[in-house]
Amino acid sequence: GVKGRRGKGEGMSARMKSGFQVVFATIIASIIYFGPPHWDFVGVPGVKDFYRLGPLIIPVAVFIIVAMSNAVNLADGLDSLAGSISIVSFACYGLIAFLQNQVYLAAFCFTIVGALLAFLWYNAFPAQLFMGDTGSLALGATLGTVAVMTGQWLLLPIIGLVFVAETVSVTLQVSYFKLTRRMYGEGRRLFKMAPLHHHFELLGWSEMQVKERFWIVSVLSGMLGVALALI
């Protein structure tokens, strides 16, 4: 074969995948801004009125969509983990959308919740059906898009706390390893393993304990996020 050519069944490279994510996110962000009704606003907890960002919403939306796409993908490492936490996140944003009279968006969110519940029937431990990159990347991008359309995207780190924690754990692990390798000549790790769910597995938690406890945290953080949206 030609040197450098990817073999059959290896899929896209990480760089190609990231490129497609940015392209699709830019298209979605452009539609959000240019298409009616111009979802270029942001809500701040404690402030009654929304603020308009204008064209600035495009890079913000691209970052949110790409970041959440990868965050959900990182969480998709244990049976039913990504699916169950996504249900909580979409339900929270569905409730926020309903309270803001965005009935069409609320209906969309709860339709996804229903689809995920059906998926979890077969994804529950031990899983018979898996989400994979195709599902998790799209699901995360959709969650980011919904957050932007509600204008409550500042609450996404709270409502999607577990997803954010998974991403931060990977970032810290890689950064700390590179830093200590440069300083001491040998890379060291902050966590036993990243993403975060694997760290707790190596601490002795069972797969079901990790999933259930992460789900409990996501429910509590989701409730907090909805409460802050109502302030």
Side-chain angles (χ1 to χ4, degrees), residues 14 16 18 42 53 61 82 94 97 107 118 120 125 136 140 148 153 184 202-203 225:
M16 184 182 296
S18 298
V42 56
L53 297 181
L120 283 182
F125 180 83
S136 59
V148 173
W153 45 267
Y184 307 111
L202 293 177
L203 285 178

Side-chain angles (χ1 to χ4, degrees), residues 202-223:
L202 293 177
L203 285 178
W205 292 16
S206 69
E207 184 170 338
M208 286 303 297
Q209 282 179 317
V210 174
K211 180 262 174 179
E212 293 297 336
R213 288 169 179 172
F214 275 36
W215 180 80
I216 291 171
V217 170
S218 71
V219 170
L220 293 174
S221 61
M223 291 168 62

Side-chain angles (χ1 to χ4, degrees), residues 7-26:
K8 184 178 180 182
E10 291 184 12
M12 291 189 293
S13 65
R15 180 176 298 180
M16 184 182 296
K17 185 186 297 183
S18 298
F20 274 117
Q21 284 179 296
V22 173
V23 169
F24 287 133
T26 303

Side-chain angles (χ1 to χ4, degrees), residues 77 162 169 194 200 223:
V162 173
S169 70
F200 285 102
M223 291 168 62

Side-chain angles (χ1 to χ4, degrees), residues 12 17 21 68-83 86 116 119-120 122-123 127-141 163:
M12 291 189 293
K17 185 186 297 183
Q21 284 179 296
M68 285 310 301
S69 178
N70 289 310
V72 175
N73 182 245
L74 288 172
D76 186 31
L78 297 178
D79 292 348
S80 75
L81 178 61
S86 293
L116 284 171
F119 167 74
L120 283 182
Y122 299 98
N123 186 239
Q128 299 169 277
L129 189 65
F130 301 92
M131 187 177 296
D133 285 3
T134 304
S136 59
L137 291 171
L139 202 60
F163 293 136

